[in-house]
Short mmCIF file of all heavy atoms in Angstrom, two decimals:
data_model
loop_
_atom_site.label_atom_id
_atom_site.label_comp_id
_atom_site.label_asym_id
_atom_site.label_seq_id
_atom_site.Cartn_x
_atom_site.Cartn_y
_atom_site.Cartn_z
N SER A 9 3.17 17.98 -1.45
CA SER A 9 4.25 18.92 -1.68
C SER A 9 4.22 19.97 -0.50
O SER A 9 3.14 20.45 -0.13
CB SER A 9 4.13 19.61 -2.96
OG SER A 9 5.16 20.64 -3.11
N CYS A 19 -7.22 44.33 -1.09
CA CYS A 19 -7.09 45.54 -0.34
C CYS A 19 -8.51 46.09 -0.10
O CYS A 19 -9.33 46.17 -1.04
CB CYS A 19 -6.22 46.58 -0.99
SG CYS A 19 -6.19 48.18 -0.23
N ILE A 118 12.80 56.13 8.15
CA ILE A 118 12.14 55.91 9.50
C ILE A 118 11.12 54.81 9.37
O ILE A 118 10.62 54.56 8.32
CB ILE A 118 11.61 57.16 10.07
CG1 ILE A 118 10.50 57.72 9.15
CG2 ILE A 118 12.66 58.22 10.27
CD1 ILE A 118 9.76 58.93 9.74
N GLN A 130 9.28 54.79 5.73
CA GLN A 130 9.19 55.99 4.87
C GLN A 130 10.52 56.67 4.71
O GLN A 130 11.30 56.69 5.70
CB GLN A 130 8.14 56.94 5.42
CG GLN A 130 7.81 58.16 4.46
CD GLN A 130 6.70 59.01 4.97
OE1 GLN A 130 5.91 58.53 5.85
NE2 GLN A 130 6.55 60.21 4.43
N ASP A 153 40.70 93.57 22.31
CA ASP A 153 41.16 93.95 23.61
C ASP A 153 40.73 92.91 24.72
O ASP A 153 41.07 93.17 25.88
CB ASP A 153 40.49 95.31 24.02
CG ASP A 153 41.02 96.43 23.16
OD1 ASP A 153 42.22 96.39 22.91
OD2 ASP A 153 40.29 97.35 22.78
N PHE A 154 40.14 91.88 24.30
CA PHE A 154 39.67 90.92 25.24
C PHE A 154 40.60 89.70 25.33
O PHE A 154 40.93 89.10 24.27
CB PHE A 154 38.25 90.41 24.92
CG PHE A 154 37.70 89.39 25.94
CD1 PHE A 154 37.13 89.84 27.06
CD2 PHE A 154 37.87 88.03 25.69
CE1 PHE A 154 36.62 88.88 27.99
CE2 PHE A 154 37.39 87.10 26.57
CZ PHE A 154 36.76 87.59 27.75
N LYS A 180 53.95 74.27 12.40
CA LYS A 180 53.86 72.86 11.95
C LYS A 180 52.73 72.11 12.67
O LYS A 180 52.02 71.36 12.10
CB LYS A 180 55.21 72.11 12.20
CG LYS A 180 55.20 70.65 11.72
CD LYS A 180 56.55 70.04 11.84
CE LYS A 180 56.52 68.61 11.36
NZ LYS A 180 57.89 67.97 11.42
N ILE A 190 49.19 87.70 18.52
CA ILE A 190 50.56 87.43 18.86
C ILE A 190 51.36 88.80 18.71
O ILE A 190 51.27 89.39 17.60
CB ILE A 190 51.18 86.32 17.97
CG1 ILE A 190 50.35 85.05 18.01
CG2 ILE A 190 52.67 86.09 18.33
CD1 ILE A 190 50.81 83.95 17.11
N THR A 237 31.23 83.34 41.86
CA THR A 237 32.06 83.19 40.55
C THR A 237 33.03 84.30 40.60
O THR A 237 32.82 85.46 41.06
CB THR A 237 31.14 83.35 39.38
OG1 THR A 237 30.43 84.58 39.41
CG2 THR A 237 30.19 82.21 39.28
N VAL A 251 70.81 80.21 25.84
CA VAL A 251 71.85 79.66 25.07
C VAL A 251 71.29 79.35 23.75
O VAL A 251 70.18 78.82 23.55
CB VAL A 251 72.43 78.32 25.69
CG1 VAL A 251 73.44 77.75 24.75
CG2 VAL A 251 72.99 78.61 27.05
N CYS A 258 80.81 77.77 29.00
CA CYS A 258 81.70 77.16 29.99
C CYS A 258 80.89 76.54 31.07
O CYS A 258 80.19 77.19 31.78
CB CYS A 258 82.64 78.35 30.56
SG CYS A 258 83.85 77.67 31.76
N LYS A 262 81.44 70.59 38.22
CA LYS A 262 80.55 69.50 38.67
C LYS A 262 79.74 69.03 37.53
O LYS A 262 79.61 67.76 37.32
CB LYS A 262 79.70 69.95 39.82
CG LYS A 262 78.81 68.91 40.40
CD LYS A 262 78.03 69.38 41.63
CE LYS A 262 77.13 68.27 42.21
NZ LYS A 262 76.35 68.77 43.36
N TRP A 302 68.88 74.49 34.75
CA TRP A 302 68.59 75.41 35.85
C TRP A 302 69.14 74.98 37.15
O TRP A 302 69.36 75.86 38.04
CB TRP A 302 67.00 75.47 36.04
CG TRP A 302 66.39 75.96 34.77
CD1 TRP A 302 65.43 75.28 34.01
CD2 TRP A 302 66.50 77.28 34.17
NE1 TRP A 302 65.00 76.14 33.02
CE2 TRP A 302 65.63 77.32 32.99
CE3 TRP A 302 67.25 78.37 34.42
CZ2 TRP A 302 65.57 78.39 32.15
CZ3 TRP A 302 67.19 79.47 33.53
CH2 TRP A 302 66.32 79.55 32.47
N LYS A 313 78.02 88.69 17.52
CA LYS A 313 78.63 89.88 16.87
C LYS A 313 80.23 89.82 17.08
O LYS A 313 80.95 90.47 16.38
CB LYS A 313 78.12 91.19 17.43
CG LYS A 313 76.65 91.43 17.00
CD LYS A 313 76.27 92.82 17.48
CE LYS A 313 74.80 93.09 17.04
NZ LYS A 313 74.24 94.43 17.50
N CYS A 323 95.63 72.10 7.99
CA CYS A 323 94.60 71.29 8.67
C CYS A 323 95.00 69.79 8.58
O CYS A 323 95.37 69.34 7.48
CB CYS A 323 93.26 71.54 7.98
SG CYS A 323 91.87 70.56 8.78
N ASP A 375 90.38 77.56 3.25
CA ASP A 375 88.87 77.85 3.52
C ASP A 375 88.77 78.95 4.60
O ASP A 375 89.66 79.20 5.41
CB ASP A 375 88.26 76.57 4.09
CG ASP A 375 88.12 75.55 3.02
OD1 ASP A 375 88.20 75.86 1.89
OD2 ASP A 375 87.87 74.38 3.36
N ASP A 398 95.79 77.40 30.86
CA ASP A 398 96.27 76.45 29.86
C ASP A 398 95.10 75.61 29.25
O ASP A 398 95.24 75.11 28.16
CB ASP A 398 97.35 75.49 30.38
CG ASP A 398 98.60 76.25 30.87
OD1 ASP A 398 98.85 77.32 30.28
OD2 ASP A 398 99.25 75.71 31.75
N VAL A 403 91.47 79.89 20.28
CA VAL A 403 90.49 80.10 19.30
C VAL A 403 89.53 78.95 19.27
O VAL A 403 89.99 77.75 19.41
CB VAL A 403 91.09 80.27 17.88
CG1 VAL A 403 89.96 80.33 16.84
CG2 VAL A 403 91.92 81.54 17.76
N ILE A 460 59.41 72.87 5.17
CA ILE A 460 60.04 73.66 4.20
C ILE A 460 59.27 73.61 2.87
O ILE A 460 58.95 72.53 2.46
CB ILE A 460 61.55 73.16 4.07
CG1 ILE A 460 62.24 73.28 5.33
CG2 ILE A 460 62.24 73.95 2.94
CD1 ILE A 460 63.63 72.70 5.34
N LEU A 486 58.12 70.73 0.57
CA LEU A 486 56.72 70.55 0.38
C LEU A 486 56.26 71.53 -0.63
O LEU A 486 56.79 72.64 -0.83
CB LEU A 486 55.96 70.78 1.72
CG LEU A 486 56.35 69.91 2.91
CD1 LEU A 486 55.64 70.33 4.14
CD2 LEU A 486 56.04 68.45 2.59
N GLU A 487 55.17 71.20 -1.32
CA GLU A 487 54.55 72.14 -2.24
C GLU A 487 53.69 73.14 -1.54
O GLU A 487 52.83 72.69 -0.64
CB GLU A 487 53.72 71.32 -3.31
CG GLU A 487 54.55 70.57 -4.33
CD GLU A 487 55.21 71.48 -5.28
OE1 GLU A 487 54.82 72.66 -5.44
OE2 GLU A 487 56.14 71.01 -5.97
N HIS A 522 26.17 64.53 -16.37
CA HIS A 522 27.46 64.03 -15.83
C HIS A 522 28.01 65.00 -14.86
O HIS A 522 28.61 64.63 -13.85
CB HIS A 522 28.42 63.83 -17.05
CG HIS A 522 29.86 63.44 -16.57
ND1 HIS A 522 30.12 62.18 -16.05
CD2 HIS A 522 30.98 64.15 -16.56
CE1 HIS A 522 31.36 62.08 -15.69
NE2 HIS A 522 31.93 63.31 -16.05
#
Side-chain angles (χ1 to χ4, degrees):
S9 176
C19 174
I118 60 175
Q130 186 173 345
D153 293 326
F154 179 86
K180 181 176 182 178
I190 302 174
T237 57
V251 178
C258 181
K262 184 176 180 181
W302 300 117
K313 291 184 179 180
C323 181
D375 288 345
D398 296 337
V403 173
I460 298 173
L486 301 173
E487 287 289 343
H522 176 71

